[in-house]
Amino acid sequence: MTASTETIASTLLRWYDSHARDLPWRNPPGAPLPGDPDWPYRVWLSEVMLQQTTVAAVKPYYEKFLKRWPSVGDLAAAEEADVMAEWAGLGYYSRARNLHACARQVIELGGFPSEEAELRKLPGVGRYIAAAVASIAFGKHAVVVDANVERIVSRLFSIEIPLPKGREQITIRSAEITPRRRAGDFAQAQMDLGSTLCATRNPKCLLCPLSGHCQARQSGEPERYPMKAPKKAKPLRKGTAWWIERHGSAGKEVWLETRPGKGMLGGMRALPDDGWSASGDGGGEAPITGETENLGLVRHTFTHVSLELSVVRIVAASEPSGEGQWWPLCEIEQAGLPTLFAKAARLALAGS
Ligand code: SF4
């Protein structure tokens, strides 16, 4: 660390000591690590949930998960279907499958490893989560690079290489400014600075503790950073989902399937569809014949693809083919449908 990079760390940590956000998974700034054996579990759980997801969206899920599964052992002992259902609505469902697999592996290992390299061997734990858990949960020196850090560091050092290539240079610079002590607090300080002051648009440089060190601010164009390679348009897929309903003994019911464990929305409860996710534009047949009614379109964007899903109602006169179950419409909220199918259900219910 040079004198200047050391000043960046100490200045940011001082700012964090008085401006840290109060979050349910946080240890107060500068406080010793909690002796509670479930502390690494809580840090890991929050970091998995926070991937690609806002703090506001994560909070209720984090609290719900901790209430139902207070320790990593409780989560490991859960049924995968229950974990998937509790995750419904949070998106990026492979995270939930990995979460469950990781909990089981941690129990086999006798607890969370504390070293970054060991953490990276766990399911769903990449470079970012390993560094975050090692530093925040175990107080290790680790360089944590998330989107906030990319933004702050690329601005501090006016890094001209567009992402994703620029990430290498950003990581080198992040390593230079990460202190040996309080690396976890330093990572969280950057997350807070990125969320409150160094925002993507209109960064509040006048209030920023690092403004005296920031090359992008001095250039007058902080919003130019991080530079990004032009985005490719997402391919559009089209598909059909069937809303198959009947009058059961307890009122109206809809036919739900559980999607195969691998692939898009794998392991989630869902409406039957024409296979759009596997083959591009679907074309498969409904698991039942009958009179159909077109209910309209649901649009949804996944990481690599946009989808237009036609929702078609069929009133069942017989049992649909394949595996599935009749689900009471009055309890549809408890089915744990992922956002795409929850949208389709809302469309169907609005028209019934
Ligand atoms: S001075 Fe402005 S651009 Fe630079 S780190 Fe602070 S908020 Fe971000």
Side-chain angles (χ1 to χ4, degrees), residues 92-229:
Y92 300 97
Y93 294 98
S94 58
R95 291 183 299 174
R97 270 193 305 281
N98 281 329
L99 188 85
H100 189 238
C102 182
R104 292 198 161 172
Q105 203 160 315
V106 166
I107 291 305
E108 277 171 23
L109 291 171
F112 278 94
S114 61
E115 296 299 332
E116 207 178 333
E118 294 305 309
L119 284 160
R120 281 195 69 173
K121 294 178 187 162
L122 296 170
V125 177
R127 182 188 286 192
Y128 166 77
I129 292 183
V133 173
S135 62
I136 299 170
F138 295 105
K140 302 280 177 178
H141 176 255
V143 179
V144 181
V145 181
D146 72 347
N148 291 299
V149 176
E150 282 175 2
R151 199 161 57 251
I152 294 166
V153 171
S154 66
R155 288 174 176 177
L156 281 175
F157 299 101
S158 60
I159 291 173
E160 299 283 336
I161 310 166
L163 291 174
K165 270 196 174 164
R167 205 161 283 139
E168 193 184 333
Q169 186 64 22
I170 289 171
T171 306
I172 292 169
R173 291 299 204 159
S174 297
E176 285 169 17
I177 60 173
T178 301
R180 307 253 14 129
R181 282 189 60 253
R182 298 188 67 189
D185 276 356
F186 183 71
Q188 292 176 101
Q190 290 182 93
M191 292 169 201
D192 286 10
L193 189 79
S195 309
T196 57
L197 300 182
C198 195
T200 307
R201 297 217 174 77
N202 297 322
K204 298 184 176 72
C205 301
L206 286 175
L207 301 174
C208 177
L210 300 181
S211 61
H213 300 272
C214 182
Q215 294 177 19
R217 162 156 162 74
Q218 281 149 27
S219 76
E221 290 186 289
E223 287 186 21
R224 276 186 74 221
Y225 305 92
M227 297 198 163
K228 289 187 177 153

